[in-house]
């Protein structure tokens, strides 16, 4: 199974948990490590970090997310209603 993950921090964490739960996981495309560090900035703490081509499974309740609300609000589309 190869995952197509070029989305948000939520998708990155969900993909990591899904990958860990199946036996035929092979690899995942990712937007992590790009020059802008856009996905990493979505985290208020403990941003995901790939080391030696491996992404540690996020820890914590649920998906292990700690969202950076200020960053997310800053990049909302014009006219978008905050959902948080």
């Amino acid at each position: 199974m190869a995952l197509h993950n070029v989305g948000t921090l939520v998708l990155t964490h969900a993909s990591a948990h899904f990958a860990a739960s199946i036996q035929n996981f092979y690899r995942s495309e990712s937007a992590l490590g790009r020059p802008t560090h856009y996905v990493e900035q979505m985290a208020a703490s403990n941003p995901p970090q790939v080391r030696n081509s491996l992404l540690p499974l996020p820890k914590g309740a649920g998906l292990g997310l700690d969202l950076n609300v200020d960053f997310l609000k800053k990049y909302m589309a014009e006219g978008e209603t905050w959902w948080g």
Side-chain angles (χ1 to χ4, degrees):
M1 170 69 66
L3 301 175
H4 177 68
N5 170 27
V6 291
T8 66
L9 179 66
V10 174
L11 181 58
T12 298
H13 280 230
S15 294
H17 283 282
F18 174 66
S21 74
I22 60 174
Q23 77 182 42
N24 64 339
F25 173 70
Y26 174 58
R27 71 169 81 183
S28 180
E29 180 179 18
S30 176
L32 294 172
R34 303 283 166 103
T36 61
H37 296 285
Y38 189 73
V39 173
E40 292 90 331
Q41 291 183 69
M42 292 178 189
S45 64
N46 303 317
Q49 296 181 1
V50 175
R51 299 276 190 240
N52 298 320
S53 299
L54 299 173
L55 175 65
L57 193 61
K59 293 182 167 85
L63 294 176
L65 291 170
D66 184 15
L67 296 175
N68 180 345
V69 174
D70 293 332
F71 180 83
L72 296 174
K73 285 181 178 180
K74 179 179 176 182
Y75 288 98
M76 286 175 52
E78 187 175 328
E80 183 76 21
T81 302
W82 177 248
W83 44 264

